[in-house]
Amino acid sequence: MKSPLLILALLFSSIFSLSAQTRLGTVPRSINRADNPYYALDSILLGEEYSNTYMGVAMITKNALGGSAACLRSNYDSARKRYELVYLVYNHDRKGREKVKTYRCTIPSETFLELSVLITNAVYASAPGSIVFGADGVFYEFLSGESISAVCWWPSLQSDSNCGRLVSLFQKLQNAVRDNDSESIEELRPEIKSLTEVFEKLRAPIED
């Protein structure tokens, strides 16, 4: 039979884990600036293309132990007047040389805007110090513009939580972009709108 103290500890742990995944955890940093510790990876995955995209948003996936990384970000090609999602996969070959594979998929301007609104709400609803990280796992960092960022972490990430749904959505978007499947992206718009409503409600108490 479990002791009352152990039961309380397990209950507190489960409540904390659920609470931590309701909001992303705020990350104060400057994107694409040489004086930030992420500059090397930012310049590869984001670069000037992201900096020049109005209302640009992104999700960067990183392993806590380093190595490979990935990024799904929005882009507006002003020359072609084309909205798109860009998916980049970064790793090293056997000789240690950096490799980046890039995929692109055109999307309607309405979908571009909906994704921008979703991530902006999710990031601005984040809470400082809400995530406790371990030494291993995967980090999912969401960016809105160049100076606002928030993160969640697996293995504490729960699939049915707000943040779990957000990561799952972006993983499906990554797969669709990799396959150049714009139809599948459009099928995800109801989930984009649903999650936007969730994070909008989380923002309300902060703004009042």
PDB file of all heavy atoms in Angstrom, residues 64-81:
ATOM      1  N   ALA A  64      17.948  17.790 -26.851  1.00  0.00           N
ATOM      2  CA  ALA A  64      18.676  18.382 -25.727  1.00  0.00           C
ATOM      3  C   ALA A  64      20.168  18.046 -25.765  1.00  0.00           C
ATOM      4  O   ALA A  64      20.993  18.805 -25.254  1.00  0.00           O
ATOM      5  CB  ALA A  64      18.065  17.913 -24.408  1.00  0.00           C
ATOM      6  N   LEU A  65      20.516  16.929 -26.372  1.00  0.00           N
ATOM      7  CA  LEU A  65      21.914  16.508 -26.432  1.00  0.00           C
ATOM      8  C   LEU A  65      22.633  17.046 -27.664  1.00  0.00           C
ATOM      9  O   LEU A  65      23.791  16.740 -27.901  1.00  0.00           O
ATOM     10  CB  LEU A  65      21.986  14.973 -26.412  1.00  0.00           C
ATOM     11  CG  LEU A  65      21.421  14.296 -25.155  1.00  0.00           C
ATOM     12  CD1 LEU A  65      21.516  12.786 -25.284  1.00  0.00           C
ATOM     13  CD2 LEU A  65      22.145  14.774 -23.911  1.00  0.00           C
ATOM     14  N   GLY A  66      21.918  17.874 -28.466  1.00  0.00           N
ATOM     15  CA  GLY A  66      22.541  18.440 -29.653  1.00  0.00           C
ATOM     16  C   GLY A  66      22.386  17.536 -30.861  1.00  0.00           C
ATOM     17  O   GLY A  66      21.645  16.556 -30.837  1.00  0.00           O
ATOM     18  N   GLY A  67      23.077  17.880 -31.935  1.00  0.00           N
ATOM     19  CA  GLY A  67      23.008  17.071 -33.149  1.00  0.00           C
ATOM     20  C   GLY A  67      21.993  17.623 -34.127  1.00  0.00           C
ATOM     21  O   GLY A  67      22.041  18.785 -34.498  1.00  0.00           O
ATOM     22  N   SER A  68      21.042  16.776 -34.534  1.00  0.00           N
ATOM     23  CA  SER A  68      20.076  17.170 -35.544  1.00  0.00           C
ATOM     24  C   SER A  68      19.064  18.176 -35.000  1.00  0.00           C
ATOM     25  O   SER A  68      18.843  18.287 -33.801  1.00  0.00           O
ATOM     26  CB  SER A  68      19.344  15.935 -36.081  1.00  0.00           C
ATOM     27  OG  SER A  68      18.627  15.310 -35.033  1.00  0.00           O
ATOM     28  N   ALA A  69      18.459  18.921 -35.918  1.00  0.00           N
ATOM     29  CA  ALA A  69      17.414  19.888 -35.576  1.00  0.00           C
ATOM     30  C   ALA A  69      16.536  20.063 -36.798  1.00  0.00           C
ATOM     31  O   ALA A  69      16.894  19.659 -37.913  1.00  0.00           O
ATOM     32  CB  ALA A  69      18.030  21.220 -35.157  1.00  0.00           C
ATOM     33  N   ALA A  70      15.365  20.651 -36.594  1.00  0.00           N
ATOM     34  CA  ALA A  70      14.451  20.898 -37.711  1.00  0.00           C
ATOM     35  C   ALA A  70      13.701  22.192 -37.454  1.00  0.00           C
ATOM     36  O   ALA A  70      13.610  22.665 -36.317  1.00  0.00           O
ATOM     37  CB  ALA A  70      13.478  19.731 -37.877  1.00  0.00           C
ATOM     38  N   CYS A  71      13.169  22.761 -38.519  1.00  0.00           N
ATOM     39  CA  CYS A  71      12.420  24.006 -38.384  1.00  0.00           C
ATOM     40  C   CYS A  71      11.305  24.050 -39.422  1.00  0.00           C
ATOM     41  O   CYS A  71      11.541  23.779 -40.605  1.00  0.00           O
ATOM     42  CB  CYS A  71      13.344  25.203 -38.574  1.00  0.00           C
ATOM     43  SG  CYS A  71      12.495  26.805 -38.551  1.00  0.00           S
ATOM     44  N   LEU A  72      10.108  24.361 -38.976  1.00  0.00           N
ATOM     45  CA  LEU A  72       9.002  24.654 -39.874  1.00  0.00           C
ATOM     46  C   LEU A  72       8.678  26.127 -39.695  1.00  0.00           C
ATOM     47  O   LEU A  72       8.387  26.564 -38.582  1.00  0.00           O
ATOM     48  CB  LEU A  72       7.777  23.802 -39.546  1.00  0.00           C
ATOM     49  CG  LEU A  72       6.554  24.082 -40.424  1.00  0.00           C
ATOM     50  CD1 LEU A  72       6.795  23.598 -41.856  1.00  0.00           C
ATOM     51  CD2 LEU A  72       5.305  23.420 -39.859  1.00  0.00           C
ATOM     52  N   ARG A  73       8.739  26.904 -40.758  1.00  0.00           N
ATOM     53  CA  ARG A  73       8.491  28.335 -40.650  1.00  0.00           C
ATOM     54  C   ARG A  73       7.689  28.835 -41.836  1.00  0.00           C
ATOM     55  O   ARG A  73       7.644  28.210 -42.905  1.00  0.00           O
ATOM     56  CB  ARG A  73       9.804  29.104 -40.541  1.00  0.00           C
ATOM     57  CG  ARG A  73      10.787  28.885 -41.685  1.00  0.00           C
ATOM     58  CD  ARG A  73      12.010  29.768 -41.510  1.00  0.00           C
ATOM     59  NE  ARG A  73      13.075  29.493 -42.439  1.00  0.00           N
ATOM     60  CZ  ARG A  73      13.121  29.901 -43.702  1.00  0.00           C
ATOM     61  NH1 ARG A  73      12.113  30.607 -44.202  1.00  0.00           N
ATOM     62  NH2 ARG A  73      14.157  29.619 -44.470  1.00  0.00           N
ATOM     63  N   SER A  74       7.048  29.971 -41.632  1.00  0.00           N
ATOM     64  CA  SER A  74       6.297  30.597 -42.709  1.00  0.00           C
ATOM     65  C   SER A  74       7.215  31.526 -43.495  1.00  0.00           C
ATOM     66  O   SER A  74       8.235  31.990 -42.989  1.00  0.00           O
ATOM     67  CB  SER A  74       5.114  31.378 -42.136  1.00  0.00           C
ATOM     68  OG  SER A  74       5.557  32.356 -41.206  1.00  0.00           O
ATOM     69  N   ASN A  75       6.836  31.776 -44.740  1.00  0.00           N
ATOM     70  CA  ASN A  75       7.619  32.676 -45.581  1.00  0.00           C
ATOM     71  C   ASN A  75       6.705  33.331 -46.614  1.00  0.00           C
ATOM     72  O   ASN A  75       5.780  32.708 -47.126  1.00  0.00           O
ATOM     73  CB  ASN A  75       8.725  31.908 -46.313  1.00  0.00           C
ATOM     74  CG  ASN A  75       9.516  32.806 -47.256  1.00  0.00           C
ATOM     75  OD1 ASN A  75      10.061  33.826 -46.842  1.00  0.00           O
ATOM     76  ND2 ASN A  75       9.565  32.443 -48.521  1.00  0.00           N
ATOM     77  N   TYR A  76       6.978  34.609 -46.860  1.00  0.00           N
ATOM     78  CA  TYR A  76       6.290  35.305 -47.942  1.00  0.00           C
ATOM     79  C   TYR A  76       7.322  35.695 -48.988  1.00  0.00           C
ATOM     80  O   TYR A  76       8.233  36.476 -48.721  1.00  0.00           O
ATOM     81  CB  TYR A  76       5.572  36.549 -47.435  1.00  0.00           C
ATOM     82  CG  TYR A  76       4.938  37.360 -48.555  1.00  0.00           C
ATOM     83  CD1 TYR A  76       3.957  36.792 -49.351  1.00  0.00           C
ATOM     84  CD2 TYR A  76       5.354  38.661 -48.815  1.00  0.00           C
ATOM     85  CE1 TYR A  76       3.387  37.512 -50.394  1.00  0.00           C
ATOM     86  CE2 TYR A  76       4.789  39.389 -49.864  1.00  0.00           C
ATOM     87  CZ  TYR A  76       3.801  38.808 -50.639  1.00  0.00           C
ATOM     88  OH  TYR A  76       3.245  39.520 -51.680  1.00  0.00           O
ATOM     89  N   ASP A  77       7.179  35.124 -50.163  1.00  0.00           N
ATOM     90  CA  ASP A  77       8.069  35.418 -51.289  1.00  0.00           C
ATOM     91  C   ASP A  77       7.502  36.637 -52.007  1.00  0.00           C
ATOM     92  O   ASP A  77       6.583  36.529 -52.827  1.00  0.00           O
ATOM     93  CB  ASP A  77       8.130  34.204 -52.223  1.00  0.00           C
ATOM     94  CG  ASP A  77       9.140  34.382 -53.350  1.00  0.00           C
ATOM     95  OD1 ASP A  77       9.453  35.543 -53.686  1.00  0.00           O
ATOM     96  OD2 ASP A  77       9.601  33.364 -53.902  1.00  0.00           O
ATOM     97  N   SER A  78       8.033  37.819 -51.687  1.00  0.00           N
ATOM     98  CA  SER A  78       7.482  39.059 -52.235  1.00  0.00           C
ATOM     99  C   SER A  78       7.676  39.161 -53.746  1.00  0.00           C
ATOM    100  O   SER A  78       6.845  39.741 -54.448  1.00  0.00           O
ATOM    101  CB  SER A  78       8.126  40.269 -51.547  1.00  0.00           C
ATOM    102  OG  SER A  78       9.533  40.243 -51.696  1.00  0.00           O
ATOM    103  N   ALA A  79       8.766  38.596 -54.264  1.00  0.00           N
ATOM    104  CA  ALA A  79       9.027  38.650 -55.704  1.00  0.00           C
ATOM    105  C   ALA A  79       7.957  37.899 -56.483  1.00  0.00           C
ATOM    106  O   ALA A  79       7.493  38.346 -57.536  1.00  0.00           O
ATOM    107  CB  ALA A  79      10.408  38.083 -56.011  1.00  0.00           C
ATOM    108  N   ARG A  80       7.551  36.759 -55.929  1.00  0.00           N
ATOM    109  CA  ARG A  80       6.537  35.948 -56.607  1.00  0.00           C
ATOM    110  C   ARG A  80       5.142  36.149 -56.010  1.00  0.00           C
ATOM    111  O   ARG A  80       4.184  35.523 -56.471  1.00  0.00           O
ATOM    112  CB  ARG A  80       6.923  34.463 -56.514  1.00  0.00           C
ATOM    113  CG  ARG A  80       8.254  34.127 -57.163  1.00  0.00           C
ATOM    114  CD  ARG A  80       8.549  32.646 -57.055  1.00  0.00           C
ATOM    115  NE  ARG A  80       9.830  32.302 -57.671  1.00  0.00           N
ATOM    116  CZ  ARG A  80      10.327  31.065 -57.713  1.00  0.00           C
ATOM    117  NH1 ARG A  80       9.638  30.067 -57.169  1.00  0.00           N
ATOM    118  NH2 ARG A  80      11.484  30.832 -58.293  1.00  0.00           N
ATOM    119  N   LYS A  81       5.067  36.984 -54.962  1.00  0.00           N
ATOM    120  CA  LYS A  81       3.800  37.212 -54.254  1.00  0.00           C
ATOM    121  C   LYS A  81       3.179  35.874 -53.854  1.00  0.00           C
ATOM    122  O   LYS A  81       2.007  35.595 -54.099  1.00  0.00           O
ATOM    123  CB  LYS A  81       2.823  38.018 -55.121  1.00  0.00           C
ATOM    124  CG  LYS A  81       3.330  39.404 -55.494  1.00  0.00           C
ATOM    125  CD  LYS A  81       2.262  40.202 -56.168  1.00  0.00           C
ATOM    126  CE  LYS A  81       2.740  41.559 -56.649  1.00  0.00           C
ATOM    127  NZ  LYS A  81       3.640  42.278 -55.787  1.00  0.00           N
TER     128      LYS A  81
END
